Amino acid sequence: MKISSKARYAIQSMLQLAMQVDNKPLTLADLTQQQNISSSYLEQLLASLRESKLVMGVRGPGGGYRIAADLADISIADILMAVHERHLTRPKKSSYGISIYNDMWWDLSESIQNFLSDISLADLMDREDVQTYLHQQRLFKDMTSVASQAEKQRKRA
Amino acid sequence: MKISSKARYAIQSMLQLAMQVDNKPLTLADLTQQQNISSSYLEQLLASLRESKLVMGVRGPGGGYRIAADLADISIADILMAVHERHLTRPKKSSYGISIYNDMWWDLSESIQNFLSDISLADLMDREDVQTYLHQQRLFKDMTSVASQAEKQRKRA
DNA sequence: ACGATTCCCGATTAAATTAGTCAAGAATAA
DNA sequence: TTATTCTTGACTAATTTAATCGGGAATCGT
């Protein structure tokens, strides 16, 4: 099965953002480093994600992009729709003469849609290795925050 | 969710073929009439489907295309793979340094793949309205075959 | 064997989408 | 204020999708 690389970039970016401890922003540069893609192109994709209110941009030093909604409320379908706009919708039943093949097609297409709508970012993160990874990140963050506290103490003295 | 129109054409064609009573061949012209698409383009898609052994061509008058396997053995994933070749495969775990985002991506991608592999043409046809339609087609065919028998009788006399 | 039908094959072109690049501007933290 | 970082828009290149054309090969009915 081929999924467009556009979709892959978008989803991978969302995953990276989703995994940030405390939803701390990631810069475009941060995001681009993981995937090998030009930053200006990824920027365009992020713009789409922003328009769809899936991420938000934070300007200035320390800024970047962060997730703009609850992880359980963002589905794979949402992400795909955000980046490849222009999605067709099922014609009204009334438009007469629509063939049975057409009906079958739309049914299929809707079940794919539903499947993808059922997978949230939260679901994807609910895996053992991911959780372990996140746990480590948090530990690391605590350590460094303790260290910086100590540092401030030291300077003050 | 956007599915490429290439995929849509392929799936719709397969559906049309699948619904033929007695797997009687449909010509390119028959297939193109339902969808609005150029016949030469559809021909290219059918060539891919043929290479993947999903359909077979029958030349000469009365010929056309017909399904080349059991309907229960042809999945949506098979059809998609046939028309957009060039499908990536998950990198070996050994290639070191592969990120956790990458793992998550491939897991997702595999679950989509599995989902699509689980939907066969037979499944899609297992719907009440489709069955009713097929039933009517068969009745019609019986009627006309009886009529043509009668016709032959008449000529012979 | 002939003629009509229909798939088969290759090359070529056009349109659409995806991917990448560049440059100037606006917000913000330190 | 200055460095950082997103924002915006326009433009180009590469790739994929869609369409077109022409001739060839198999097969059916007569």
Side-chain angles (χ1 to χ4, degrees):
Chain A
M1 172 57 190
K2 184 200 88 175
I3 299 172
S4 73
S5 32
K6 194 171 185 174
R8 192 173 66 249
Y9 294 146
I11 293 176
Q12 292 215 45
S13 301
M14 290 299 284
L15 285 174
Q16 284 184 62
L17 294 176
M19 293 185 59
Q20 279 299 99
V21 174
D22 292 337
N23 200 9
K24 178 165 160 279
L26 276 178
T27 68
L28 198 48
D30 291 334
L31 288 168
T32 332
Q33 270 160 7
Q34 301 283 342
Q35 318 173 41
N36 67 332
I37 178 182
S38 88
S39 63
S40 318
Y41 182 47
L42 188 54
E43 197 171 24
Q44 289 173 41
L45 300 188
L46 286 166
S48 306
L49 294 171
R50 179 161 38 81
E51 280 163 30
S52 300
K53 309 266 206 273
L54 300 183
V55 303
M56 62 188 301
V58 182
R59 298 204 234 198
Y65 293 92
R66 58 159 39 133
I67 296 283
D70 193 307
L71 294 183
D73 291 340
I74 300 181
S75 73
I76 297 304
D78 292 331
I79 302 175
L80 297 185
M81 286 199 298
V83 295
H84 8 70
E85 54 285 337
R86 196 171 56 276
H87 15 69
L88 320 169
T89 47
R90 186 171 193 147
K92 280 270 142 289
K93 204 75 177 184
S94 60
S95 48
Y96 74 111
I98 292 301
S99 80
I100 197 167
Y101 313 111
N102 221 275
D103 280 350
M104 293 172 78
W105 163 257
W106 281 106
D107 282 357
L108 168 61
S109 153
E110 274 168 15
S111 57
I112 295 175
Q113 166 86 6
N114 291 338
F115 174 71
L116 295 174
S117 299
D118 267 353
I119 309 178
S120 71
L121 286 182
D123 292 335
L124 292 181
M125 298 187 50
D126 195 17
R127 290 176 13 166
E128 198 182 355
D129 54 348
V130 175
Q131 288 305 316
T132 314
Y133 175 85
L134 283 175
H135 186 61
Q136 286 165 357
Q137 296 299 306
R138 287 199 207 91
L139 282 184
F140 181 69
K141 187 210 145 213
D142 288 346
M143 277 163 51
T144 51
S145 100
V146 168
S148 78
Q149 295 282 51
E151 178 72 359
K152 280 178 189 161
Q153 292 279 351
R154 199 187 54 73
K155 277 186 177 160
R156 217 172 291 151
Chain B
M1 173 56 188
K2 183 199 89 175
I3 300 172
S4 74
S5 32
K6 193 172 187 174
R8 192 174 65 247
Y9 295 145
I11 293 175
Q12 292 214 46
S13 300
M14 291 299 283
L15 285 175
Q16 283 184 64
L17 294 176
M19 292 187 59
Q20 278 300 99
V21 174
D22 291 337
N23 200 11
K24 178 165 160 279
L26 276 178
T27 68
L28 199 49
D30 290 334
L31 287 168
T32 35
Q33 270 160 10
Q34 301 285 340
Q35 317 173 42
N36 67 332
I37 177 183
S38 88
S39 62
S40 319
Y41 182 48
L42 189 54
E43 195 173 23
Q44 290 172 41
L45 300 188
L46 287 166
S48 306
L49 294 172
R50 179 161 39 79
E51 281 163 29
S52 301
K53 310 268 206 269
L54 300 183
V55 304
M56 62 188 303
V58 181
R59 299 203 234 197
Y65 293 92
R66 60 158 40 131
I67 296 283
D70 192 309
L71 294 184
D73 291 339
I74 300 180
S75 73
I76 297 304
D78 293 331
I79 302 174
L80 298 185
M81 287 198 298
V83 295
H84 15 65
E85 54 284 340
R86 178 180 111 282
H87 14 69
L88 320 170
T89 48
R90 186 172 192 145
K92 281 269 143 288
K93 204 75 178 184
S94 60
S95 48
Y96 74 111
I98 293 301
S99 79
I100 197 168
Y101 313 112
N102 221 273
D103 280 351
M104 294 172 77
W105 163 255
W106 281 106
D107 281 357
L108 169 62
S109 155
E110 274 168 15
S111 59
I112 295 176
Q113 167 86 9
N114 292 338
F115 175 71
L116 295 174
S117 300
D118 266 352
I119 309 179
S120 72
L121 286 182
D123 292 335
L124 292 181
M125 297 185 53
D126 196 17
R127 292 178 9 168
E128 197 181 357
D129 54 347
V130 175
Q131 288 305 315
T132 314
Y133 175 86
L134 283 176
H135 186 61
Q136 286 166 357
Q137 296 298 307
R138 287 200 206 89
L139 282 184
F140 180 70
K141 188 209 145 211
D142 288 347
M143 278 164 48
T144 51
S145 101
V146 167
S148 79
Q149 296 282 51
E151 179 73 358
K152 280 177 189 163
Q153 292 278 352
R154 199 186 54 72
K155 277 185 179 164
R156 219 170 290 153

